[in-house]
Each structure stands twice: as structure tokens, then as C-alpha cells.
């Protein structure tokens, strides 16, 4: 049995979800997974066997304005690798996980233990935060020192090569979903609800353009009897609530907050809105498609690998909420068009099933 350490964020963000789902799929095969993070990852409850969780504890001291998380993580990685004789470390999101792993590897080397590091780049670790001049050289170093680098889309690979000086090959391994876990093995026609349900799920950061969701919904709700689920939490949440109030939409919008019932919500959803500025992959769109929901999104980033315009959803230029609302109305008022898009969304999602993607990670693990 191979012993893999997975370092990730424990939150609702996509990189933590992918890391946990990957750990779950591996733990059902011949792997024992050691999760390392500052809290239990939110989806850890879905794992049944072959895993353990190691909490990173950060020392506090009055002198520290910023707690030294990288140091604590580095020390925890060293401890877990040593105690559990790990075969490999797979870190998700470069900042600061790749940096901590690379330093842990050096410490371990000094005591005669060698361990390969696989770093998976997810999105804003490259496209927003990582390329900040304040940290760029350190992120660049950590990526290059990894033994294997993967990116979740071709778009993200291109962005990495554009913004960083990368000396190694980057393998593109897309994100995935588990149809069996959700009992969605075969396509079943999805009928439009009488009162149409539109959904948005995110961490409400500015890059997600959540206010555009309210603008789109306002226009749609003028013509159609509909309801909006806004799921998640983050910096733009209050602004969205204010805008919904301003437009007198409060009775038609449910701000759900952080929810562990994502599959219940997606199974009821007619159309999913993701008007992001950029999305390196758009895992949440893939999850919506697994539940046969067409997606309305923007052009120009990695989500285009998933959403094929006028087939399983619609792609518009960033900020074109007029066009997005028209497309949404088109879908919600034409049963035949809806059925065709909905089926196509499900079939496109099948291309990203865990059975197709997992072997690509295993191939990398087995190469060491
Ligand atoms: O970059 C972020 O938004 C955070 C990151 C995360 O940890 O949630 O999300 C990114 O990784 C996801 C999983 O690979 C992708 O599905 C998201 O598209 C990506 N987010 C962005 O690129 C904005």
C-alpha cells in the first residue's frame, strides 16, 4: 500500500475539494492518505477508510503580527513523513504549500529521508496572488523545486508559463467528479421546475463577480417566475445582499451561506450562473453539469474546456449581464432546448469522471 501525504486548504474552495476528493478516490484503492492542514477538510466526512488527518498547529507569541504558518506546516510535514514513512507528498495550491513542502524535503534529506513532491496548481495561486511581485520569486522557486508539476487546465498551464520562469514540464490533469458517489450513473431527463431555480456557488471573492449574478437574476426575474440560491460566503457577500435589497429581490433570493448540502441544491437547480472574471477550471460548474444543469459563464479562461457555447451552456464576455440574462431566459422558456442542453451538460461532465482522471495522477505517483 502506497502512503501519500496530501497538503491542502480545508475550506470550501475548489483546491481543497479536489484534494479531498482525490484522497477519497485513492483511499478506496491501494493507498493510505495522510491529510495535512490547519483544520479537517470540509469533505473529509465522505472518506470511509485508509486515511488520517494531521492538524498543523501554529504557535502564538505577542511579537508575531503574522503567525508563521509556513514554518508550522513545514515542521508538521517533516514529522508526518518521518513517523508514517510516507512515499510521496502531493500539495494542492502552490501558496504556501509547495514552498513548505520543498523546505520539508530539504530538512528530511539532511536526515537521510528522500520524498518526491507533486505540486498541483489550481488557479489564483498563479493568476492572482502568486504573480504578485511581493512573493513571485519564492513561488517560482517552490514550483521549480517540485518533482512533478500539474495544472488543472491548459489555460492555467499557459498562464503559469507566461508569468513564471518554469524549468520543468507541466502536466495538465483536469479536475473530476464522482458520478457513482452521487448515484448519477445514467442520464435521466431533468424537467424544468415550475418556479425556476437558478444557483450560484462560490467563495464570494471579487474574481467571482457575484454582483453580476444579482444583475442577471434581476433581469431574468422580470420575465420569469424564478428563485435564486446564493451559496457560500466571502468578501462580496454583504454587497450582494445590499444589491438584492436595493432591487427588492429579498424574497426571491436565498443567501444560504456555507452549505454541506451542495448536491441537494444542485439536484434542484435549473440553471447555474458562474460569471467569473476568470476561472482556471470551474470545478463548481462541473459539479452542476454532473447534475445535468446547463451553465452560463464567461469567455476567455479555463472554464471554456467545460462549457461549450450554445451546446451545454452559454459563454459571454465578462460583465455582459444583458446577454447572460437573455441566454438564461432562452433556456428557461424552451423545454426542448433545455433538455438538449441539460443532456449535453451531463455528457460533457462524464468526460471528467474520476475513473478517467485518477489514473493520470496515479501514473505520476508510480513514476517515482
Ligand atoms: O483560485 C481560487 O479561486 C482558489 C481555488 C481554490 O482553492 O478554491 O480555486 C481554483 O481552483 C479550483 C480547483 O482546481 C478551480 O476549479 C477554480 O476554477 C480555481 N479558481 C479560479 O481560478 C478563480
Amino acid at each position: 500500500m502506497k502512503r501519500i501525504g496530501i497538503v491542502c486548504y480545508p475550506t470550501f474552495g475548489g483546491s481543497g475539494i479536489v484534494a479531498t476528493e482525490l484522497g477519497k478516490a485513492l483511499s478506496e484503492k491501494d493507498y493510505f492518505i495522510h491529510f495535512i492542514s490547519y483544520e479537517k477538510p470540509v469533505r473529509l466526512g465522505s472518506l470511509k477508510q485508509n486515511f488520517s488527518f494531521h492538524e498543523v498547529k501554529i504557535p502564538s507569541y505577542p511579537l508575531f503580527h503574522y503567525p508563521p504558518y509556513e514554518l508550522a506546516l513545514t515542521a508538521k510535514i517533516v514529522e508526518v513523513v518521518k513517523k508514517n514513512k510516507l512515499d510521496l507528498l502531493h500539495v494542492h495550491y502552490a501558496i504556501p504549500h509547495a514552498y513548505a513542502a520543498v523546505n520539508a524535503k530539504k530538512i528530511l534529506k539532511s536526515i537521510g529521508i528522500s520524498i518526491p513532491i507533486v505540486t498541483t496548481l489550481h488557479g489564483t495561486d498563479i493568476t492572482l496572488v502568486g504573480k504578485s511581485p511581493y512573493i513571485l520569486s519564492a513561488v517560482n522557486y517552490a514550483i521549480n523545486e517540485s518533482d512533478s508539476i500539474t495544472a488543472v487546465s491548459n489555460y492555467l498551464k499557459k498562464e503559469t508559463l507566461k508569468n513564471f520562469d518554469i524549468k520543468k514540464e507541466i502536466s495538465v490533469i483536469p479536475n473530476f467528479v464522482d458520478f457513482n458517489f452521487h448515484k448519477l450513473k445514467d442520464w435521466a431527463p431533468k424537467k424544468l421546475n415550475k418556479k425556476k431555480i437558478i444557483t450560484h456557488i462560490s467563495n464570494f471573492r471579487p474574481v467571482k463577480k457575484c454582483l453580476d449574478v444579482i444583475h442577471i437574476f434581476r433581469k431574468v426575474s422580470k420575465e420569469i417566475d424564478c428563485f435564486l440560491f446564493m451559496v457560500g460566503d466571502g468578501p462580496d457577500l454583504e454587497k450582494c445582499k445590499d444589491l438584492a435589497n436595493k432591487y427588492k429581490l429579498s424574497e426571491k433570493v436565498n443567501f444560504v451561506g456555507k452549505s454541506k448540502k451542495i448536491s441537494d441544491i444542485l439536484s434542484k437547480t435549473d440553471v447555474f450562473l458562474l460569471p467569473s472574471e476568470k476561472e482556471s477550471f470551474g470545478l463548481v460548474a462541473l459539479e452542476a453539469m454532473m447534475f445535468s444543469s446547463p451553465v452560463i459563464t464567461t469567455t476567455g479562461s479555463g472554464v471554456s474546456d467545460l462549457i461549450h457555447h450554445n451546446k451545454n451552456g452559454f459563454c459571454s464576455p465578462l460583465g455582459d449581464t444583458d446577454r447572460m440574462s437573455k441566454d438564461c431566459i432562452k433556456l428557461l422558456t424552451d423545454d426542448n432546448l433545455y433538455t438538449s442542453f441539460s443532456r449535453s451538460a451531463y455528457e460533457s461532465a462524464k468526460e471528467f469522471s474520476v475513473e478517467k482522471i485518477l489514473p493520470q495522477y496515479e501514473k505520476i505517483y508510480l513514476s517515482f
Side-chain angles (χ1 to χ4, degrees):
M1 182 172 273
K2 248 190 172 337
R3 292 170 293 257
I4 312 259
I6 289 189
V7 181
C8 64
Y9 282 107
T11 50
F12 284 86
S15 67
I17 301 294
V18 170
T20 318
E21 292 290 335
L22 177 62
K24 175 174 155 254
L26 292 166
S27 70
E28 285 160 10
K29 298 181 84 181
D30 201 20
Y31 296 86
F32 193 103
I33 309 301
H34 293 266
F35 288 95
I36 305 173
S37 191
Y38 59 84
E39 262 172 28
K40 272 193 180 167
V42 283
R43 287 204 188 166
L44 205 63
S46 61
L47 271 79
K48 295 193 185 80
Q49 58 186 11
N50 296 338
F51 76 97
S52 61
F53 167 67
H54 308 271
E55 185 184 340
V56 180
K57 295 206 173 96
I58 312 158
S60 73
Y61 187 67
L63 188 67
F64 296 153
H65 187 61
Y66 301 104
Y69 183 64
E70 287 93 327
L71 279 186
L73 176 60
T74 306
K76 183 51 95 178
I77 294 174
V78 170
E79 177 199 313
V80 174
V81 171
K82 252 182 6 187
K83 258 197 202 156
N84 301 283
K85 302 193 171 32
L86 299 195
D87 298 303
L88 182 139
L89 272 171
H90 189 167
V91 304
H92 291 262
Y93 205 88
I95 309 163
H97 301 155
Y99 193 77
V102 160
N103 285 316
K105 181 180 166 125
K106 285 208 166 140
I107 297 172
L108 287 159
K109 195 175 172 201
S110 72
I111 51 170
I113 298 173
S114 90
I115 181 137
I117 299 170
V118 179
T119 293
T120 292
L121 309 171
H122 278 275
T124 53
D125 46 350
I126 296 302
T127 58
L128 286 175
V129 206
K131 67 180 189 190
S132 152
Y134 302 138
I135 57 173
L136 190 133
S137 64
V139 179
N140 199 91
Y141 164 82
I143 296 173
N144 275 323
E145 288 293 306
S146 304
D147 297 284
S148 177
I149 312 163
T150 77
V152 297
S153 63
N154 281 304
Y155 162 81
L156 187 60
K157 176 175 176 175
K158 274 194 206 133
E159 286 295 303
T160 311
L161 295 175
K162 192 170 90 192
N163 293 303
F164 295 85
D165 180 18
I166 301 301
K167 311 274 185 221
K168 288 203 170 95
E169 179 55 29
I170 300 178
S171 315
V172 173
I173 305 187
N175 291 332
F176 59 87
V177 276
D178 186 347
F179 285 79
N180 291 334
F181 180 75
H182 295 283
K183 303 191 175 58
L184 293 166
K185 227 172 164 194
D186 301 304
W187 184 70
K190 189 171 189 175
K191 278 214 168 117
L192 279 166
N193 290 300
K194 210 158 167 258
K195 190 184 189 85
K196 313 295 184 253
I197 297 182
I198 298 171
T199 299
H200 171 76
I201 305 176
S202 77
N203 39 25
F204 286 70
R205 283 168 303 150
V207 69
K208 299 287 177 180
K209 297 287 170 204
C210 305
L211 293 166
D212 283 1
V213 174
I214 306 288
H215 289 302
I216 298 165
F217 180 73
R218 180 191 186 207
K219 291 172 193 167
V220 175
S221 68
K222 280 185 181 159
E223 311 225 354
I224 287 180
D225 185 17
C226 56
F227 191 82
L228 173 66
F229 280 115
M230 291 289 273
V231 186
D233 195 357
D236 281 352
L237 178 60
E238 287 310 310
K239 286 187 203 151
C240 287
K241 286 184 179 172
D242 290 347
L243 194 63
N245 279 336
K246 184 176 153 200
Y247 289 155
K248 304 201 170 18
L249 291 171
S250 317
E251 297 201 342
K252 292 184 172 186
V253 184
N254 183 356
F255 287 96
V256 179
K258 288 179 185 167
S259 172
K260 287 195 177 169
K261 297 194 169 160
I262 297 298
S263 39
D264 289 351
I265 296 170
L266 290 178
S267 65
K268 292 185 198 119
T269 296
D270 292 307
V271 168
F272 190 85
L273 297 182
L274 192 67
S276 310
E277 183 186 329
K278 50 188 146 197
E279 239 4 289
S280 69
F281 183 86
L283 178 66
V284 72
L286 176 60
E287 292 188 322
M289 290 161 75
M290 168 171 65
F291 285 91
S292 301
S293 292
V295 177
I296 291 184
T297 189
T298 44
T299 46
S301 66
V303 72
S304 325
D305 290 356
L306 284 177
I307 315 298
H308 308 303
H309 183 65
N310 223 356
K311 195 162 177 271
N312 56 17
F314 288 105
C315 305
S316 294
L318 172 65
D320 194 346
T321 56
D322 268 343
R323 199 166 132 181
M324 292 187 228
S325 56
K326 279 182 194 141
D327 289 336
C328 190
I329 293 168
K330 216 191 295 178
L331 267 175
L332 294 175
T333 50
D334 181 339
D335 285 338
N336 289 338
L337 184 78
Y338 185 81
T339 305
S340 139
F341 271 56
S342 159
R343 179 169 203 156
S344 179
Y346 175 87
E347 275 160 10
S348 305
K350 276 258 152 164
E351 294 304 309
F352 301 89
S353 65
V354 62
E355 292 81 6
K356 289 198 172 159
I357 308 300
L358 188 67
Q360 300 180 39
Y361 279 119
E362 287 188 272
K363 195 173 165 200
I364 292 183
Y365 298 162
L366 297 172
S367 71
F368 294 106

